[in-house]
């Protein structure tokens, strides 16, 4: 029987209550949920497909899969993107949580993920009954041959970007041991350092043009303000995608037809992403200046929608300090013991709340 950790965000509740008591209300920079409107063409596509009496396709419509493949070629440089290797999923958290199980991973198997990581990599491993291994050094594993190696670039929570050379080494290491590399790329379009742009695991510079043994995961939640739609996809090795498709057909894991229509429009349009990116860049600049002025050091944070910051004290002390000023942030400990002296600061709040938070610091 698997055991799961307590849901970490429940531990933040008393600090949220403290922040809510501020006379000007809470500035919530913790979870990182989008707050800006979903672009109108996407909403129109959803509404236009609302008459959907029949069952949708688990595989996704051909139009959706081609739209995703076009985005991969256009924005991620994945020249070999194949629409047949695209599978829509019901939000990528669902996929992360169930992927080891869907791929047949079980007791006695190991799943590797970064030391500082999205907690659901660990949860998904435990749901499968497998053994979680948190490490940033694959060589330290010795003779162990894991079933899955997760990479996350840009990273949640640190915003760190793994260069193509590093990813190439991970791919080579995994292929030499028969492991599947799964790359969580949900923040791929939010790089802030021109000298270190995010790169997909499926980019030719990383994989030499072969997607064998590789899967990439992406989402519309942050890119297109569609967190409420639960819309994402997995792509890469065609054989692996077909395996996932067959299991998901049996399990009824199907993206609703109106959401598929909205996804098709979202991945075909880049203009709304550029506009949203500009909003986040402004908010990021305001918050970074304010937190650094307040005595914080910002580490990594060259991409994603977060600042990874520290006052060189236990993270819960920092959370309490900020909550007393009506500002709520995420404790770094949620992402692994290595984050015990950092906090994660999301810049997904509105311009008004960002300005209020900055003023309080």
């Amino acid at each position: 029987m698997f055991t799961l950790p307590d849901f970490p965000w429940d531990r933040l509740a008393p600090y949220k209550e403290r922040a809510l008591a501020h006379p000007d209300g809470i500035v919530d920079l913790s979870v990182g949920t989008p707050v800006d409107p979903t672009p109108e063409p996407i909403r129109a596509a959803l509404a236009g497909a609302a008459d959907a009496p029949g069952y949708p396709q688990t595989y996704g419509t051909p139009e959706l899969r081609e739209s995703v493949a076009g985005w991969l070629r256009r924005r991620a440089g994945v020249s070999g993107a194949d629409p047949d290797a695209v599978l829509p999923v019901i939000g990528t958290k669902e996929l992360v949580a169930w992927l080891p199980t869907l791929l047949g991973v079980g007791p006695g198997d190991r799943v590797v993920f970064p030391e500082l990581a999205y907690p659901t990599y660990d949860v998904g491993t435990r749901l499968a009954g497998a053994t979680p291994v948190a490490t940033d050094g694959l060589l330290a594993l010795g003779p162990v041959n894991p079933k899955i190696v997760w990479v996350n670039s840009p990273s949640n929570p640190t915003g760190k970007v793994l260069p193509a050379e590093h990813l190439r080494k991970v791919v080579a290491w995994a292929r030499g041991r028969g492991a599947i590399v799964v790359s969580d790329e949900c923040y791929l379009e939010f790089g802030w350092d021109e000298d270190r742009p995010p790169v997909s695991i499926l980019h030719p510079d990383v994989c030499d043009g072969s997607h064998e043994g590789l899967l990439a995961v992406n989402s519309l939640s942050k890119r297109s303000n569609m967190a409420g739609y639960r819309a994402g996809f997995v792509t890469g090795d065609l054989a692996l995608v077909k395996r996932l498709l067959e299991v998901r057909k049996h399990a009824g894991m199907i993206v609703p037809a109106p959401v598929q229509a909205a996804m098709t429009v979202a991945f075909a349009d880049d203009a709304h992403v550029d506009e949203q990116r500009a909003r986040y860049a402004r908010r990021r600049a305001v918050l970074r200046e304010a937190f650094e002025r307040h005595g914080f050091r910002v580490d990594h944070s060259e991409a994603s929608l977060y600042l990874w910051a520290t006052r060189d004290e236990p993270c819960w002390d920092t959370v309490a300090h900020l909550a007393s000023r009506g500002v709520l942030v995420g404790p770094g400990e949620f992402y692994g013991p290595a984050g015990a002296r950092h906090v994660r600061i999301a810049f997904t709040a509105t311009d008004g709340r960002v300005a209020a938070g900055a003023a309080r610091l």
Side-chain angles (χ1 to χ4, degrees):
M1 179 65 181
F2 60 79
T3 57
L4 296 178
D6 294 335
F7 187 64
W9 292 98
D10 292 343
R11 294 173 58 197
L12 202 57
Y15 300 93
K16 184 173 184 178
E17 289 300 316
R18 189 184 305 181
L20 282 166
H22 190 279
D24 186 36
I26 189 173
V27 174
D28 193 342
L29 309 177
S30 60
V31 177
T33 188
V35 297
D36 299 300
T38 305
E40 194 281 329
I42 296 171
R43 286 182 280 153
L46 182 82
D51 184 13
Y55 291 109
Q57 300 177 56
T58 308
Y59 198 9
T61 64
E63 294 80 11
L64 168 56
R65 288 185 279 112
E66 180 52 56
S67 181
V68 172
W71 172 80
L72 285 163
R73 299 184 200 111
R74 190 175 67 249
R75 298 283 275 197
V78 181
S79 54
D82 179 1
D84 288 343
V86 172
L87 179 61
V89 296
I90 313 161
T92 48
K93 182 170 185 176
E94 169 259 306
L95 181 75
V96 171
W98 292 108
L99 187 65
T101 299
L102 297 177
L103 289 174
V105 173
D109 295 329
R110 289 175 172 82
V111 175
V112 175
F113 46 82
E115 289 181 7
L116 283 168
Y118 184 46
T120 312
Y121 306 139
D122 176 72
V123 168
T125 304
R126 295 173 187 270
L127 287 172
T131 302
V133 181
T135 182
D136 291 336
L138 294 177
L139 295 179
L141 294 174
V144 170
N145 290 335
K147 292 291 185 179
I148 294 175
V149 176
W150 280 100
V151 295
N152 177 210
S153 178
S155 163
N156 174 17
T158 69
K160 183 178 180 180
V161 172
L162 299 177
E165 310 83 67
H166 179 99
L167 292 171
R168 281 178 64 89
K169 291 176 181 177
V170 173
V171 169
W173 186 94
R175 284 176 171 167
R177 288 157 180 78
I180 298 167
V181 179
V182 188
S183 180
D184 182 346
E185 301 177 356
C186 292
Y187 301 97
L188 195 66
E189 291 190 277
F190 296 105
W192 311 109
D193 185 345
E194 293 182 1
D195 295 329
R196 184 170 286 215
V199 60
S200 172
I201 200 85
L202 303 179
H203 193 284
D205 289 350
V206 174
C207 67
D208 290 328
S210 170
H211 296 171
E212 181 181 359
L214 308 178
L215 291 172
V217 177
N218 215 310
S219 166
L220 286 166
S221 292
K222 305 298 199 302
R223 175 192 183 273
S224 300
N225 298 330
M226 291 173 64
Y229 285 57
R230 311 313 304 132
F233 71 86
V234 59
T235 190
D237 185 325
L238 180 59
L240 291 175
V241 171
K242 289 296 181 71
R243 278 174 58 187
L244 292 172
L245 173 61
E246 288 307 310
V247 178
R248 293 176 72 85
K249 281 181 180 178
H250 284 295
M253 292 176 164
I254 311 172
V255 176
V259 176
Q260 291 192 32
M263 291 175 69
T264 303
V265 170
F267 276 116
D269 177 54
D270 300 329
H272 76 275
V273 184
D274 294 336
E275 292 174 8
Q276 186 62 44
R277 192 186 144 77
R279 292 187 193 104
Y280 284 142
R282 291 194 300 270
R283 294 167 186 169
R284 177 181 184 269
V286 169
L287 286 174
R288 179 160 195 159
E289 192 277 332
F291 275 91
E292 289 180 337
R293 184 181 66 237
H294 196 67
F296 281 79
R297 184 184 76 244
V298 175
D299 294 330
H300 303 303
S301 306
E302 60 260 28
S304 83
L305 300 182
Y306 313 105
L307 298 174
W308 185 240
T310 181
R311 296 206 310 169
D312 288 320
E313 66 183 1
C315 63
W316 288 103
D317 291 351
T318 308
V319 170
H321 167 77
L322 292 170
S324 68
R325 287 158 175 77
V327 177
L328 190 67
V329 297
E333 186 181 272
F334 282 2
Y335 305 93
R341 298 181 73 84
H342 280 75
V343 293
R344 194 194 74 169
I345 303 160
F347 43 87
T348 54
T350 64
D351 291 346
R353 289 288 84 190
V354 165
R360 295 175 194 181
L361 300 177

